[in-house]
Amino acid sequence: MGPQELLALDRAHVWHPYGPMPGAEDPLLVSSASGVRLRLADGTELIDGMSSWWAAIHGYRHPELDAAVRDQLGRMSHVMFGGLTHEPAVWLASRLVEITPEPLHHVFLSDSGSVSVEVAVKMCLQYWRSTGRPEKRRMLTWRGGYHGDTFHPMSVCDPQGGMHSLWRGLLPEQVFAAEPPAGFDADVDHDYVRHLADLIEQHAHELAAVIVEPVVQGAGGMRFHSPRYLHVLRELTAAHDVLLVFDEIATGFGRSGALFAADHAGISPDVMCLGKALTGGYLSMAATLCTSGVAEGISQGEVPVLAHGPTFMGNPLAAAAANASLDLLLRGDWAGEVRRIEAGLRAGLAPAADLPGVADVRVLGAIGVVQLDHAVDMLAASKAAVAHGVWVRPFRDLIYVMPPYVTSDADLARIGAAVVAAAEVG
């Protein structure tokens, strides 16, 4: 089937994320990918500045990841996880416990990041119900966040910038603090700390947990904040008998410059969500980790099990890919590579700061952001980047990149030039 026939079928039948049906514009047709490049059906090659929505940290067709999946396919592609177990999942869970902050000792595997947040919320609600305090059923978060597209995660997304308002009256009504003050290196704003303290104290009797994206707020606005606010949340939640959840789906596995964003603060939550880069972008898998206290609390309840069980939970192919991805990450100099990418992005994006219509340029780890003072013309910006041989996917007022860790210095320079060009027309 030729490219035009495929695109016609795509227009007729395929509903793409955050898009109308039928689509307003034809997507680019990818025929293959290798290293950091996407090869289109017409032969064009684009450097992937997005790591396929932040997941493909080792790039594409990595021989070790390919071999791990092929080897596992020769054993079994899937087996139900209820009443059965297998080595790839057991080994993966053990390794996640080893590399995440203490004392996260228990791992619930699921299919996607949004589901891992659903599981985290369910853990918190069921913990309090099981320990005799069912009135603790609300979540507190700060504005500017994004936690997924299923219903409970949507309820803790930003109520204006996210999809919360579309479902008002159907979603649980959560408690929202103001956005954390911007700046990874910024001093702590004591007025903001008092704001957090007042909200948590006022609602402690009904709060199951506080949930935030640590250090980097991702799809809600690509904002960075000081790790010291994580210390504040840890102290306040402990003092007021509230659980603390970190959503590390976007930040986990080195993206922010630490293996996990919580490591910037040297603290641990009660529950942590992981996804995206978990399998190196090969297969869909996520994980929700919790402390023994949370697990034991749930086990005390009238229903002494966590009431959740995805069909593809612990999928062997995904677990094998995740183990191979962890091998690559931990065996290599991931921290040095992320620092190299950070330096390359700082140099490459710096010229954008002088462009009219640019409000801010910021970089943290392997994350680079150009923020406009207006809504980006996504089509024009994307076309400008493609003309420079780079794939980006702007949204709202942001043109941002999260390249694979294997991106070369030369390709980083091309990504920087493409983003600057996109900002000029966006």
Side-chain angles (χ1 to χ4, degrees):
M1 190 176 294
Q4 293 310 311
E5 293 173 287
L6 283 170
L7 288 173
L9 288 173
D10 186 282
R11 271 193 305 276
H13 304 299
V14 180
W15 207 328
H16 287 270
Y18 309 115
M21 188 69 224
E25 296 287 338
D26 283 340
L28 301 181
L29 182 58
V30 179
S31 60
S32 65
S34 180
V36 300
R37 281 168 167 73
L38 309 175
R39 185 176 180 84
L40 305 186
D42 65 2
T44 301
E45 288 192 348
L46 301 178
I47 299 166
D48 182 10
M50 308 301 294
S51 297
S52 277
W53 264 341
W54 327 344
I57 57 175
H58 308 297
Y60 302 93
R61 287 183 57 196
H62 193 288
E64 290 191 35
L65 296 179
D66 285 4
V69 174
R70 280 196 301 267
D71 179 69
Q72 183 57 46
L73 190 61
R75 301 169 190 269
M76 58 180 169
S77 61
H78 183 60
V79 64
M80 66 182 289
F81 216 48
L84 301 173
T85 195
H86 51 82
E87 183 178 359
V90 173
W91 181 226
L92 175 61
S94 300
R95 298 178 79 188
L96 291 177
V97 168
E98 181 181 343
I99 65 175
T100 52
E102 279 283 343
L104 298 167
H105 290 165
H106 307 290
V107 182
F108 190 98
L109 298 169
S110 60
D111 310 85
S112 71
S114 185
V115 174
S116 78
V117 175
E118 292 279 3
V119 170
V121 173
K122 188 176 286 186
M123 279 181 178
C124 296
L125 297 179
Q126 199 172 340
Y127 170 82
W128 291 114
R129 179 173 292 276
S130 296
T131 55
R133 301 188 65 183
E135 72 278 5
K136 290 172 73 69
R137 56 190 299 177
R138 297 182 76 186
M139 308 293 288
L140 183 147
T141 188
W142 45 37
R143 292 179 183 269
Y146 173 82
H147 298 278
D149 293 347
T150 51
F151 264 64
H152 247 111
M154 275 200 300
S155 77
V156 287
C157 293
D158 188 90
Q160 270 77 47
M163 294 166 284
H164 189 285
S165 59
L166 185 63
W167 307 106
R168 187 167 287 121
L170 292 176
L171 294 176
E173 293 187 4
Q174 311 293 14
V175 181
F176 288 91
E179 290 180 345
F184 179 82
D185 296 315
D187 291 334
V188 169
D189 183 328
H190 295 290
D191 288 339
Y192 184 74
V193 171
R194 281 191 291 272
H195 166 63
L196 288 176
D198 289 346
L199 267 183
I200 292 173
E201 181 177 7
Q202 177 186 348
H203 293 279
H205 66 285
E206 60 177 348
L207 286 182
V210 171
I211 179 170
V212 297
E213 298 159 283
V215 177
V216 179
Q217 292 182 289
M222 306 305 297
R223 300 174 76 252
F224 310 148
H225 59 261
S226 169
R228 285 178 282 184
Y229 292 115
L230 307 181
H231 280 282
V232 169
L233 290 178
R234 180 69 283 180
E235 291 169 3
L236 289 172
T237 52
H240 293 285
D241 209 14
V242 176
L243 298 175
L244 179 61
V245 181
F246 283 170
D247 175 352
E248 293 241 20
I249 293 163
T251 53
F253 309 105
R255 181 60 69 177
S256 72
L259 190 57
F260 300 97
D263 295 338
H264 287 295
I267 63 169
S268 179
D270 301 294
V271 180
M272 178 184 280
C273 301
L274 301 174
K276 289 197 180 291
L278 175 60
T279 71
Y282 266 55
L283 291 155
S284 182
M285 179 175 255
T288 308
L289 288 79
C290 73
T291 64
S292 295
V294 171
E296 290 165 5
I298 291 171
S299 297
Q300 296 171 19
E302 179 183 353
V303 178
V305 299
L306 182 63
H308 207 89
T311 299
F312 288 95
M313 180 178 180
N315 174 258
L317 283 177
N323 282 315
S325 179
L326 286 177
D327 286 341
L328 282 173
L329 187 71
L330 300 177
R331 189 178 69 234
D333 181 19
W334 67 265
E337 290 301 290
V338 170
R339 284 193 300 270
R340 179 183 61 80
I341 290 172
E342 183 176 51
L345 291 179
R346 287 190 188 280
L349 300 186
D354 298 325
L355 295 176
V358 171
D360 189 33
V361 177
R362 51 188 180 269
V363 176
L364 179 67
I367 307 168
V369 184
V370 174
Q371 185 167 12
L372 308 182
D373 62 9
H374 57 276
V376 65
D377 182 335
M378 189 168 73
L379 182 59
S382 295
K383 284 184 174 179
V386 167
H388 280 70
V390 176
W391 171 245
V392 298
R393 182 70 170 173
F395 74 103
R396 285 172 33 185
D397 56 350
L398 303 168
I399 304 169
Y400 76 99
V401 289
M402 288 190 177
Y405 300 167
V406 295
T407 305
S408 70
D409 291 341
D411 285 345
L412 284 172
R414 288 185 64 186
I415 289 172
V419 171
V420 172
E424 286 180 315
V425 302

